[in-house]
Amino acid sequence: MTGGGLLVAGTTSDAGKSVVTAGICRWLVRQGVKVAPFKAQNMSLNSFVTREGAEIGRAQAMQAQACRVEPTALMNPVLLKPGGEQSSQVVLLGKPVGELSARGYHGGRQQRLLGTVLDCLAELRGTYDAVICEGAGSPAEINLRRTDIVNMGIARNAGLPVLVVGDIDRGGVFASFFGTVALLSPEDQAHIAGFLVNKFRGDVSLLEPGLDMLHGLTGRRTYGVLPFRHGLGIDEEDGLRVSLRGTVRESNVSPPVGEDVMRVAVCAIPLMSNFTDVDALAAEPGVVVRFVDRPEELADADLVVVPGTRGTVRALEWLRERGLADALRARAAQHRPVLGICGGFQVLGEHIEDDVESRRGHVEGLGILPVRVRFAREKTLTRPEGEALGEHVTGYEIHHGVADVHGGDPFLDGCRVGQTWGTHWHGSLESDGFRRAFLREVAAAAGRRFVPAADTSFAALREEQLDRLGDLIEEHADTDALWRLIESGAPQGLPFIPPGAPA
């Protein structure tokens, strides 16, 4: 028996597809439905390692958490990790299989992956009562429709109804809804069941006449109007976002427990990956996190974080061009706290041998930590656990660089010299006891009377956030109608809206 399904598409990128998908998943699981997320193809530098050692998008890992199930490679069979303007690493079923240009991928490789994608979706639908799929970008990207495997391509092949999400906060949502439908072929339009308005501010009664007119124009109803809420984003695909509280610049920092706040500066290096490592810091009362790109912005920081990157050598060049390399070396010499994570750890080392990622061969690092890095063709994908600062720590590793540590004090398979710390472990700061111990060390070194809260549970905060997403769906969407879509598919007899897709 095949479980029900739904594809959540969007009028644009960042319309709220990931959030809506997670909210529908959490609403369903609270109704006792066995549900799983799915995204056929994801383009993101923000990824996660499953228990079986597969790399998938972090958004799908968080959606799995919304479903209260363990994430697997089936939930995101194709992951594209950009390495520059023109190429991406292709990760298939959790393992890297090569680099391709955008033209090479859309020129044929993508379509050949359709069978794999459909097999993964079929396996999930054979296991779960429902699978909530997330699209990518817009389904009306007519230049890419021929090779599409993530929007209407998967909806058509798997017989899925499609719910189109529009961000009304950007404006033009009615034109976006109508235009999205009108640019699709009759066969594709038959799967577009209706619309969901996201990020609405104000009196819904003022919007309702427009929704009625949209229904009259398209024959498709609106399944809900979700109000604007700060800080509801789950782990984002890309961009400078901290998922726990929306964007860092919009986050409301809770008052500190001690007398001082703690200021954390995150170097906004190129091709930044897994920037969500700082989410756990932003969750702490009294911790102020900001992204920086100038050396003077490090001056008042109590902690500087050099995050992961898909381009270690490029990040090194950027740090030098910006003057941040000298600022980081000066901080280290003054025993002011610096934390390097994954690619950020690698740039702090002595030198890098890279014939894989940048193919630049021997490159000098910043020389702050006694580490030599050699890039291997095989990617390390693990879920390590251990101890540091007397606390249990878990994390995950995603990197080609192999570190030869030949000095300093051990630190999470990396090392520490003075107040400079380096590790390949992502996610370590989500371990509450370790995070508190680390922040106490940083506060002492920075001379801050900052005290970590004794009761901050990062896992509990994420659960609360996912429940808030479920509440949004339950309170502001027509859940009975949504369930009928998931169980029975798009309504029959939906009208064709001209002109349709161009020939």
Side-chain angles (χ1 to χ4, degrees):
M1 180 179 175
T2 299
L6 174 69
L7 176 69
V8 178
T11 56
T12 62
S13 294
D14 205 30
K17 297 183 293 291
S18 296
V19 166
V20 169
T21 300
I24 292 173
C25 287
R26 178 48 62 101
W27 159 65
L28 284 171
V29 80
R30 293 195 308 206
Q31 309 308 307
V33 177
K34 188 180 178 184
V35 60
F38 180 79
K39 186 163 185 173
Q41 172 196 294
N42 203 343
M43 178 172 278
S44 178
L45 290 173
N46 204 21
S47 58
F48 181 77
V49 179
T50 67
R51 291 206 180 277
E52 70 267 29
E55 185 180 7
I56 66 171
R58 272 196 70 100
Q60 279 61 65
M62 284 293 288
Q63 289 163 357
Q65 186 176 346
C67 297
R68 299 184 179 136
V69 298
E70 189 67 32
T72 73
L74 293 174
M75 297 172 184
N76 179 208
V78 182
L79 173 64
L80 305 179
K81 302 193 73 174
E85 295 297 323
Q86 299 294 330
S87 67
S88 294
Q89 183 181 65
V90 181
V91 179
L92 180 62
L93 293 174
K95 303 295 180 184
V97 294
E99 298 270 343
L100 274 180
S101 67
R103 180 176 293 276
Y105 185 67
H106 290 288
R109 179 64 183 270
Q110 183 182 33
Q111 186 65 22
R112 291 198 295 273
L113 295 174
L114 179 60
T116 300
V117 163
L118 291 171
D119 288 345
C120 291
L121 178 56
E123 187 170 341
L124 288 174
R125 295 181 77 182
T127 306
Y128 292 88
D129 300 328
V131 178
I132 308 303
C133 308
E134 180 186 343
S138 162
E141 291 168 345
I142 54 180
N143 56 317
L144 302 177
R145 175 62 186 91
R146 181 177 60 84
T147 57
D148 170 49
I149 65 169
V150 65
N151 290 306
M152 301 314 299
I154 194 117
R156 285 267 297 277
N157 280 280
L160 296 173
V162 179
L163 184 69
V164 181
V165 177
D167 179 356
I168 197 169
D169 198 48
R170 294 183 175 190
V173 75
F174 292 117
S176 297
F177 281 146
F178 183 88
T180 296
V181 179
L183 280 175
L184 300 178
S185 69
E187 295 80 7
D188 283 353
Q189 286 193 23
H191 290 266
I192 304 292
F195 313 108
L196 185 77
V197 176
N198 192 28
K199 299 184 185 178
F200 179 72
R201 308 173 192 247
D203 185 346
V204 176
S205 67
L206 298 177
L207 185 67
E208 286 171 349
L211 300 179
D212 291 340
M213 285 185 271
L214 182 67
H215 189 188
L217 287 165
T218 66
R220 289 156 175 88
R221 56 165 297 182
T222 298
Y223 285 78
V225 177
L226 306 186
F228 186 96
R229 295 284 187 269
H230 280 286
L232 285 180
I234 64 170
D235 287 7
E236 303 280 354
E237 292 182 353
D238 280 308
L240 294 183
R241 292 179 175 83
V242 167
S243 62
L244 191 63
R245 293 185 174 178
T247 64
V248 169
R249 293 176 177 83
E250 291 179 358
S251 66
N252 297 313
V253 179
S254 301
V257 174
E259 297 179 45
D260 289 343
V261 298
M262 179 175 288
R263 296 174 175 86
V264 178
V266 183
C267 295
I269 57 180
L271 297 175
M272 193 186 330
S273 62
N274 289 72
F275 50 85
T276 44
D277 284 326
V278 299
D279 282 11
L281 295 177
E284 283 285 347
V287 174
V288 181
V289 178
R290 66 184 188 273
F291 288 93
V292 303
D293 58 7
R294 298 191 302 270
E296 57 268 26
E297 294 179 294
L298 305 190
D300 67 343
D302 304 307
L303 170 66
V304 173
V305 177
V306 188
T309 174
R310 170 85 163 87
T312 302
V313 171
R314 182 176 168 189
L316 260 172
E317 293 172 342
W318 182 87
L319 290 168
R320 288 182 169 120
E321 290 165 0
R322 295 272 177 159
L324 286 161
D326 290 338
L328 287 168
R329 276 193 287 257
R331 279 188 71 91
Q334 296 161 8
H335 297 284
R336 300 181 67 199
V338 176
L339 171 63
I341 302 173
C342 200
F345 166 42
Q346 295 167 8
V347 305
L348 298 177
E350 296 170 354
H351 65 78
I352 295 166
E353 295 291 340
D354 181 10
D355 296 318
V356 176
E357 192 175 76
S358 69
R359 299 180 177 87
R360 294 280 295 278
H362 183 92
V363 179
E364 292 297 316
L366 299 186
I368 299 172
L369 291 177
V371 178
R372 299 164 188 148
V373 176
R374 175 185 56 82
F375 272 66
R377 298 201 175 277
E378 189 74 18
K379 183 183 281 191
T380 297
L381 296 167
T382 63
R383 293 271 291 269
E385 56 182 293
E387 282 199 6
L389 304 180
E391 299 286 346
H392 183 70
V393 191
T394 62
Y396 58 99
E397 295 186 53
I398 307 170
H399 54 92
H400 284 281
V402 178
D404 172 22
V405 179
H406 57 93
D409 298 320
F411 174 67
L412 300 180
D413 292 344
C415 67
R416 170 190 183 181
V417 174
Q419 291 301 322
T420 301
W421 318 62
T423 176
H424 272 135
W425 291 25
H426 293 289
S428 62
L429 293 167
E430 295 178 20
S431 298
D432 296 328
F434 167 71
R435 182 181 65 255
R436 287 192 278 268
F438 177 70
L439 289 175
R440 283 192 290 269
E441 289 253 355
V442 170
R448 287 281 183 187
R449 288 169 295 190
F450 171 85
V451 178
D455 58 351
T456 300
S457 167
F458 188 71
L461 288 171
R462 277 199 160 160
E463 277 296 302
E464 289 173 13
Q465 180 191 34
L466 292 169
D467 275 331
R468 289 174 66 202
L469 295 180
D471 292 344
L472 267 186
I473 298 298
E474 191 167 335
E475 296 168 10
H476 299 282
D478 186 339
T479 52
D480 289 341
L482 274 181
W483 178 246
R484 286 194 296 273
L485 279 186
I486 293 166
E487 195 173 38
S488 305
Q492 297 297 307
L494 292 170
F496 170 70
I497 307 302

